[in-house]
Amino acid sequence: MFTLCPSCPLWLILLTALLIGCAAAPLRGTGDLGVVIERATGSVLIVDTTHTATLARVEGLGDLSHASVVYSRDARYAYVFGRDGGLTKVDLLTARITKRIIQAGNSIGGAISQDGRLIAVSNYEPGGVKVFDADTLEQVADIPTGVKVVGLADAPGQQFVFSLFESGEIWVADLSEPTRPQLTRFSDIGREPYDGLVLGHGRYYLAGLFGEDGLAQLDLWHPEAGVQRVLPDYGRGQERLPVFKMPHLQGWALAGDYLFVPAVGLHAVLVIERATWKEVARIPVHGQPVFVIGRPDARQVWVNFAHPRNDTVQVIDVDTLQVVRSLTPGKAVLHLEFTPRGEAVWVSVRDEDRIDIFDTRTFARIGSLPARKPSGIFFTHRAHEIGL
């Protein structure tokens, strides 16, 4: 215990009290933390999945429509990509913005490098990819493309992979020497790629095509083989069905031997065999699926839906390929995120200003937290996964 003499100056007493207060603050890790995007107010909530609690709100992050998040390797810092070109580094432990920059006029997402030292951002305006030091957010590389960049993902080998919407290309950028990116370009991959993801522990990069049916696949183990077209029946189809919201490719669920994929414009989830890339089943569901997300143990797949049927979540059993439960959390279910081991799933219910938490074994709602128009939910276990 500290003791101070009666003649000690006031400043010393106050400083000592402050230091004692700091020392008394409990230590904690970040493995059970996460961020919830509050898109309407440009703020994020820092949440605790162990105690189902909100720890803090951080404001001043700009336009967070279509925002996404990656985490530092130590899972202390969240890098938030805003639609206004903002890149914000948030300290989860102090609940403060460490640094914020505006790096472009309109951006669509980002990724963190394999070694955690680089942050890459994909831009609509002026196009291209900019790369920043993860510690300082100082720019280290600029990769102009002249067109919109979509589907930016990290890949093994200190690489970033992304697609070019207007020109129909996939580029692979090797950032082993950060200031001298080595680019490999693949042309004629298909019309208007609109999103992309990395599958198979970093082996495959897939780009969804908006201008035609099917996907463009690049095997990163064998890039010399070029880009292959797969799933020719995946897309809007010959009937050009109305699509109320394009599904996000990063919502694809990998479970055992199967991929579970939202059927664009249809009330169905497609089941794709991984070995052949052939459709082996089509599961009828409540509406047009948006996110199709696998529970970490791959036993279940949870699905949300596009407007106007977006008040519902359905659960598919991977063993039987049947819908086993329908839940109705409320208006505008926008996103789902499993806790690291999958015992619970957090669901953002935008128009109810609420986050609901469900037990994935019993399907019971076990918690609820207020949030301002919540959208994306991102937990820190993403720090250790490729492509997230």
Side-chain angles (χ1 to χ4, degrees):
M1 178 180 294
F2 286 96
T3 58
L4 292 172
C5 63
S7 60
C8 287
L10 178 61
W11 68 267
L12 180 57
I13 295 173
L14 294 175
L15 177 60
T16 303
L18 178 62
L19 291 174
I20 291 173
C22 291
L27 295 174
R28 69 153 301 149
T30 59
D32 59 354
L33 299 186
V35 160
V36 175
I37 301 295
E38 295 183 312
R39 58 188 296 171
T41 53
S43 54
V44 298
L45 298 178
I46 298 174
V47 295
D48 174 344
T49 62
T50 298
H51 301 95
T52 312
T54 298
L55 303 181
R57 171 177 283 118
V58 182
E59 300 181 303
L61 280 77
D63 182 355
L64 294 186
S65 55
H66 207 280
S68 61
V69 175
V70 298
Y71 287 99
S72 59
R73 284 168 67 95
D74 61 5
R76 175 170 179 174
Y77 298 100
Y79 299 89
V80 183
F81 305 98
R83 194 57 184 267
D84 56 0
L87 169 59
T88 308
K89 183 178 180 179
V90 177
D91 186 338
L92 301 185
L93 293 181
T94 64
R96 293 178 179 174
I97 292 175
T98 300
K99 189 164 185 179
R100 172 174 163 77
I101 61 172
I102 300 295
Q103 55 83 41
N106 186 339
S107 61
I108 195 64
I112 187 166
S113 62
Q114 185 179 33
D115 66 1
R117 295 181 178 178
L118 302 172
I119 303 292
V121 190
S122 56
N123 293 312
Y124 275 4
E125 177 60 43
V129 172
K130 290 185 178 179
V131 184
F132 302 88
D133 182 285
D135 288 333
T136 64
L137 298 192
E138 297 295 325
Q139 183 173 317
V140 297
D142 186 7
I143 305 172
T145 62
V147 296
K148 297 185 186 72
V149 171
V150 299
L152 173 66
D154 60 282
Q158 200 68 357
Q159 299 179 108
F160 293 108
V161 191
F162 48 90
S163 299
L164 278 55
F165 181 78
E166 289 91 345
S167 59
E169 297 176 74
I170 292 174
W171 288 17
V172 179
D174 183 339
L175 272 293
S176 299
E177 297 183 55
T179 58
R180 301 176 58 191
Q182 301 298 309
L183 301 176
T184 304
R185 304 178 182 184
F186 300 88
S187 303
D188 300 322
I189 62 123
R191 287 189 287 136
E192 299 176 340
Y194 70 93
D195 197 4
L197 84 165
V198 166
L199 282 174
H201 305 294
R203 176 168 180 175
Y204 297 106
Y205 176 80
L206 295 175
L209 303 176
F210 186 75
E212 62 184 85
D213 285 347
L215 300 168
Q217 181 211 74
L218 177 62
D219 184 346
L220 296 170
W221 288 10
H222 298 287
E224 71 282 358
V227 173
Q228 312 297 319
R229 303 290 183 87
V230 298
L231 298 181
D233 297 325
Y234 178 76
R236 300 172 68 179
Q238 298 300 315
E239 299 180 31
R240 309 301 291 176
L241 298 166
V243 179
F244 299 110
K245 181 176 177 59
M246 287 299 289
H248 288 253
L249 290 188
Q250 290 198 348
W252 285 28
L254 190 60
D257 295 330
Y258 299 121
L259 280 172
F260 292 79
V261 177
V264 180
L266 300 178
H267 294 193
V269 170
L270 310 181
V271 183
I272 309 297
E273 187 177 56
R274 292 176 62 187
T276 62
W277 295 94
K278 302 293 185 184
E279 179 183 334
V280 295
R282 184 169 294 202
I283 304 170
V285 290
H286 169 79
Q288 293 185 9
V290 177
F291 284 102
V292 178
I293 300 177
R295 203 171 72 177
D297 65 354
R299 178 61 195 271
Q300 298 172 351
V301 170
W302 288 55
V303 186
N304 73 328
F305 302 97
H307 177 81
R309 301 171 70 88
N310 60 358
D311 62 344
T312 297
V313 173
Q314 289 190 311
V315 183
I316 296 172
D317 180 84
V318 170
D319 196 30
T320 63
L321 301 185
Q322 300 292 320
V323 174
V324 294
R325 188 62 61 109
S326 293
L327 306 170
T328 310
K331 296 178 181 177
V333 173
L334 293 193
H335 198 220
L336 310 95
E337 178 88 333
F338 288 97
T339 51
R341 295 198 177 193
E343 80 284 356
V345 61
W346 290 42
V347 177
S348 61
V349 193
R350 183 193 62 192
D351 292 354
E352 308 277 356
D353 291 314
R354 199 178 67 234
I355 300 291
D356 282 347
I357 298 97
F358 292 91
D359 184 312
T360 57
R361 184 174 58 87
T362 66
F363 306 110
R365 190 170 71 176
I366 55 176
S368 186
L369 296 172
R372 301 170 182 166
K373 298 292 179 286
S375 55
I377 305 172
F378 304 90
F379 294 153
T380 54
H381 65 83
R382 290 168 171 259
H384 310 293
E385 297 184 30
I386 297 169
L388 292 181

